Amino acid sequence: MRRAALQPAAHQYRHGGWLSFPALALLLACLLLGLALWRTERRAAAPLLHLSLFLRPRFLIAAAASATLACFYCVAFFLMPLYLSDLRHQDSIMTGWLLLPATALMALSSPLAGRLSDRRGTGLPMRAGCLLLLASALMQTAFGAQTSWPWVLLAFSFLGMGWACLLGPSMNAALAAFPQALAATALGMAATAHNLGGALGLALATALYDAVAALRPGAPDAAFLLGYRAVMALLAGLCLATFLLLRHAQARRSGQGQRPAGSGR
């Protein structure tokens, strides 16, 4: 694996830029196809995509949390192996071992997150997951060529625990937003939002990496770290925004639950 893998689609338009005719034509085609899909699904008797589900705030928030998670791990698991192999000069076997805490802790923490979700509701583990991912991203903004291995492994461990806290509870929250009759549809739409978050997040992150790394031409290691840190800062901001959204939703539900009888809406 080499840093050449980070050359995004933007390089195809290096001479014309994103405002070139091919780029604008592709964007216009995407918009038109998206509009056609929306109109088709609205008129279908049994639509494949129930876009109206996103009008329910509880479902929208759960889908946003799931999309944030997908964005984070798709981007992180694209960049972290490059950091380990290219900048820290680890072979493929050692790179796998160093990434193991993230995936192992995800597997080990998932049952605990599920039990917490059953006892305390989905909001608490989702907020905890956002904070754990935020901690991982902030720690990774400090990565360098000589960063201590305990720091690196702790950052990867926070990623795994945050992943576990968000994955199951966010899907459960999406299901709980609708009656049982719409459970399959809600799950499918939440999974669609999850996958879309990962795809769009990876595209945005690689574009950001490319733009920032270009500020240090002729210094590959410095350029890589500059781009890496910028992407992790972006992920940190996304996790913080999602945490604040979840916290606001929880505070709003608590306020509604404590409203005195007869006080009106």
Side-chain angles (χ1 to χ4, degrees), residues 112-169:
L112 300 177
R115 285 197 286 270
L116 179 62
S117 177
D118 292 338
R119 294 176 182 175
R120 302 288 300 277
T122 57
L124 180 59
M126 286 197 295
R127 293 194 299 275
C130 287
L131 290 178
L132 287 165
L133 293 181
L134 173 61
S136 176
L138 289 176
M139 291 181 72
Q140 292 191 63
T141 60
F143 276 11
Q146 302 298 327
T147 302
S148 67
W149 288 117
W151 181 274
V152 172
L153 294 176
L154 184 59
F156 292 173
S157 298
F158 282 153
L159 189 164
M161 291 186 288
W163 189 355
C165 288
L166 269 171
L167 183 60

Side-chain angles (χ1 to χ4, degrees), residues 91-117:
D91 60 28
S92 57
I93 295 177
M94 185 55 66
T95 295
W97 280 111
L98 290 169
L99 292 172
L100 183 61
T103 52
L105 283 173
M106 184 272 178
L108 293 173
S109 302
S110 290
L112 300 177
R115 285 197 286 270
L116 179 62
S117 177

Side-chain angles (χ1 to χ4, degrees), residues 249-261 263:
Q250 179 63 32
R252 186 174 180 180
R253 284 196 294 270
S254 299
Q256 290 174 346
Q258 296 173 1
R259 184 176 296 151
S263 61

Side-chain angles (χ1 to χ4, degrees), residues 44-113:
L48 181 64
L49 299 177
H50 287 258
L51 300 178
S52 60
L53 297 186
F54 290 103
L55 297 178
R56 183 163 297 196
R58 287 184 63 188
F59 178 81
L60 179 61
I61 291 171
S66 182
T68 295
L69 170 62
C71 174
F72 195 106
Y73 72 69
C74 284
V75 172
F77 275 101
F78 186 61
L79 283 175
M80 293 188 312
L82 294 174
Y83 167 77
L84 295 173
S85 62
D86 282 19
L87 197 69
R88 303 301 297 266
H89 307 296
Q90 303 299 309
D91 60 28
S92 57
I93 295 177
M94 185 55 66
T95 295
W97 280 111
L98 290 169
L99 292 172
L100 183 61
T103 52
L105 283 173
M106 184 272 178
L108 293 173
S109 302
S110 290
L112 300 177

